[in-house]
Amino acid sequence: MSKFITVMMHTYRSKIKSKPFLISTIITIALMFVVSNMNEIVKVFSGDDVSRVAVIDKMGNAFAPLQSQVKQYDDEFKLEEFKQSEKVAEKRVQDGKLDGLLILEQDANGMISAKYKAEDVTKQDLITDIQTALQQIKTKMAAESIGLNQEQLAAIYLPVGFDKESLSTTAKSEEEAAQVYVLVYVVLFFMYMSVMMYGSMIAVEVATEKSSRVMEILISSISPVKQMFGKIFGIVLLALTQLALFVASGFAAVKLNGRLSGNDSIIKELKLNDMPVSLIVYALIFFLLGFFLYATLFAMIGSLISRVEEVNSFMTPVVIFIVAAFMIAMYGRENPESGFVAAASFFPLFTPMLMLLRVGMLSLPIWEVALGIGVLAGAIVLFAIIGARVYRGGVLMYGNAPSLKLFKQAVLLSKQEKKNIAK
């Protein structure tokens, strides 16, 4: 047991102190804070600049209601009534003294119409806000032309009453679905990225030791099985450390955004603080079991490879399963009750993602969840037994081109080694 812990902690310490790990962790955390607070950062660098738009009101009575309408929901640009000619206004736009020119006219039906001129007409936010304000003014003018008062107009645009009631006994409420949607998406994404990143790390670690012939020294002092699981658990600790840092940093970044912007963060909006504890527990269970499942496969793959350059070619089949599971999970987010998703969730390589999805999006009976966990645990034990045999023989195989025949050769070599030890 002490040798197993020694391998595990050696793997953990060597990786957590490595420059690639430290740099990637720092950069990822920094990106989380930058992306989640991008609006506030843009405001800091742009200052308090407000776009100035000149308005030539050819109707004579449209500027005041337009200005009033804009002030209700947007303070990022300022409308200024322009009394001089259109050419003078265009010249000021070209000189950079104005950001745009808006000309208000009356169309053939007596309704308001507009023309916008600027050096750059690709600023969609500004243009969209002006269009929205003009549309509201036009709606008001049209209502007044047919004799509607403000109460009648408000009644027309009042949202239709629409109550939703699910008849399915396994469906969750809309609020619960919103909470689960975010958690499931985040966990699925982390699971996908973790398996891809740390799984390859395990395979490369084993392949690197084989290529340097360090393995021949190691297996003389510790059994290959203990070495394999020591490396797997060491990488698992590394993954959990980094993911814990990412989760804590992401939470802090979102909270910071809420304080800077003055708006409720997504945590409050979706009431993520009220997330059911059972769902969080299931997320951890399926994440850890899924990681162990794929980690065992990648360690077995690494033992069959003599050179690091061959890792990608052997990883491809496993990666295809990971990508397929992720794509089915993305489909299942919108169709969690699909029979296809339900059946696929009991296939071991898909179970971590799909069963978590179904547990989160549906109210599954306990026996289904237990069966999913049992299938996954059984697959891990099976893969561990096969992987241990392949690993035992694979670490002694050098110079072979990557092929499926290596699995059989590794198992036979493992049996031969056992016989030699027994003698």
Side-chain angles (χ1 to χ4, degrees):
M1 189 65 181
S2 60
K3 293 182 178 180
F4 164 79
I5 295 176
T6 300
V7 173
M8 179 181 70
M9 295 310 299
H10 171 73
T11 302
Y12 176 73
R13 285 194 293 265
S14 63
K15 291 296 180 184
I16 204 169
K17 293 179 181 179
S18 64
K19 289 184 179 179
F21 176 85
L22 296 175
I23 293 173
S24 64
T25 302
I26 293 172
I27 291 176
T28 303
I29 291 175
L31 285 175
M32 286 182 178
F33 278 90
V34 170
V35 171
S36 61
N37 296 278
M38 182 61 71
N39 291 336
E40 302 305 317
I41 294 174
V42 170
K43 288 181 182 179
V44 170
F45 284 98
S46 61
D48 297 324
D49 293 339
V50 178
S51 299
R52 298 174 60 226
V53 178
V55 180
I56 297 178
D57 184 9
K58 293 185 177 181
M59 294 182 66
N61 61 351
F63 176 73
L66 176 62
Q67 188 177 45
S68 176
Q69 191 68 46
V70 167
K71 285 182 179 179
Q72 292 181 14
Y73 59 87
D74 199 324
D75 57 357
E76 293 185 359
F77 68 93
K78 181 180 180 183
L79 298 179
E80 302 175 1
E81 189 170 13
F82 198 79
K83 297 294 186 181
Q84 300 183 49
S85 66
E86 188 175 330
K87 288 186 177 180
V88 174
E90 290 178 358
K91 183 67 168 57
R92 292 192 180 182
V93 171
Q94 292 174 340
D95 292 341
K97 297 179 180 179
L98 291 171
D99 295 289
L101 169 62
L102 181 67
I103 303 170
L104 304 179
E105 299 176 312
Q106 193 173 44
D107 62 16
N109 297 320
M111 296 295 157
I112 189 172
S113 66
K115 182 187 296 182
Y116 181 75
K117 298 182 180 181
E119 284 289 296
D120 181 9
V121 293
T122 61
K123 295 182 178 180
Q124 292 300 320
D125 290 342
L126 174 61
I127 295 174
T128 299
D129 289 341
I130 293 175
Q131 286 178 316
T132 301
L134 289 172
Q135 183 62 45
Q136 292 174 342
I137 293 173
K138 183 178 180 179
T139 300
K140 184 178 180 181
M141 292 174 62
E144 291 175 349
S145 68
I146 59 176
L148 293 178
N149 57 36
Q150 288 297 318
E151 290 76 14
Q152 292 171 323
L153 182 62
I156 292 175
Y157 284 98
L158 189 67
V160 64
F162 193 82
D163 294 328
K164 290 173 280 186
E165 180 180 352
S166 177
L167 298 178
S168 173
T169 57
T170 61
K172 293 183 180 287
S173 67
E174 188 174 3
E175 183 177 294
E176 290 175 328
Q179 292 176 334
V180 169
Y181 195 88
V182 174
L183 178 65
V184 168
Y185 182 83
V186 171
V187 174
L188 288 177
F189 180 77
F190 270 114
M191 187 181 296
Y192 173 77
M193 294 302 297
S194 299
V195 171
M196 294 288 287
M197 181 167 59
Y198 299 110
S200 61
M201 188 183 295
I202 292 173
V204 170
E205 178 80 5
V206 176
T208 301
E209 289 181 354
K210 279 191 65 177
S211 62
S212 63
R213 295 302 176 103
V214 174
M215 190 69 72
E216 294 178 357
I217 300 174
L218 291 175
I219 60 176
S220 63
S221 59
I222 181 174
S223 70
V225 176
K226 289 183 179 179
Q227 186 180 339
M228 181 183 79
F229 285 103
K231 288 185 177 298
I232 291 175
F233 276 84
I235 299 297
V236 168
L237 284 178
L238 179 74
L240 293 177
T241 301
Q242 192 171 47
L243 292 177
L245 290 173
F246 289 162
V247 171
S249 301
F251 184 83
V254 172
K255 295 286 285 186
L256 177 63
N257 177 259
R259 292 180 181 178
L260 293 177
S261 63
N263 300 321
D264 286 340
S265 67
I266 189 173
I267 296 173
K268 289 184 178 180
E269 288 182 11
L270 295 177
K271 299 182 179 179
L272 296 182
N273 290 325
D274 301 328
M275 189 75 68
V277 176
S278 60
L279 182 58
I280 298 176
V281 171
Y282 281 133
L284 290 174
I285 290 173
F286 284 111
F287 178 84
L288 290 175
L289 291 178
F291 191 91
F292 275 114
L293 179 72
Y294 281 101
T296 304
L297 288 177
F298 280 114
M300 182 174 61
I301 289 172
S303 68
L304 295 172
I305 298 170
S306 301
R307 296 178 300 173
V308 178
E309 294 81 4
E310 298 171 349
V311 170
N312 289 333
S313 61
F314 249 72
M315 281 179 55
T316 300
V318 181
V319 170
I320 291 174
F321 279 108
I322 300 171
V323 174
F326 186 76
M327 296 303 294
I328 296 173
M330 292 300 99
Y331 165 78
R333 284 195 312 159
E334 305 297 334
N335 304 277
E337 294 186 346
S338 168
F340 169 71
V341 175
S345 67
F346 292 102
F347 178 63
L349 295 179
F350 294 165
T351 299
M353 293 187 185
L354 300 188
M355 189 57 72
L356 171 61
L357 173 74
R358 296 183 65 225
V359 169
M361 303 298 288
L362 304 172
S363 298
L364 294 182
I366 296 297
W367 70 265
E368 275 200 53
V369 181
L371 179 60
I373 294 176
V375 167
L376 192 54
I380 292 175
V381 172
L382 178 63
F383 286 160
I385 294 173
I386 298 174
R389 292 181 179 179
V390 173
Y391 191 94
R392 186 189 297 272
V395 293
L396 299 174
M397 297 167 57
Y398 292 93
N400 296 294
S403 70
L404 294 177
K405 293 182 180 179
L406 292 182
F407 282 90
K408 182 178 180 180
Q409 295 176 9
V411 172
L412 293 176
L413 190 58
S414 174
K415 290 181 179 179
Q416 184 62 41
E417 184 191 359
K418 277 188 175 182
K419 291 180 179 178
N420 293 336
I421 294 175
K423 292 179 181 179

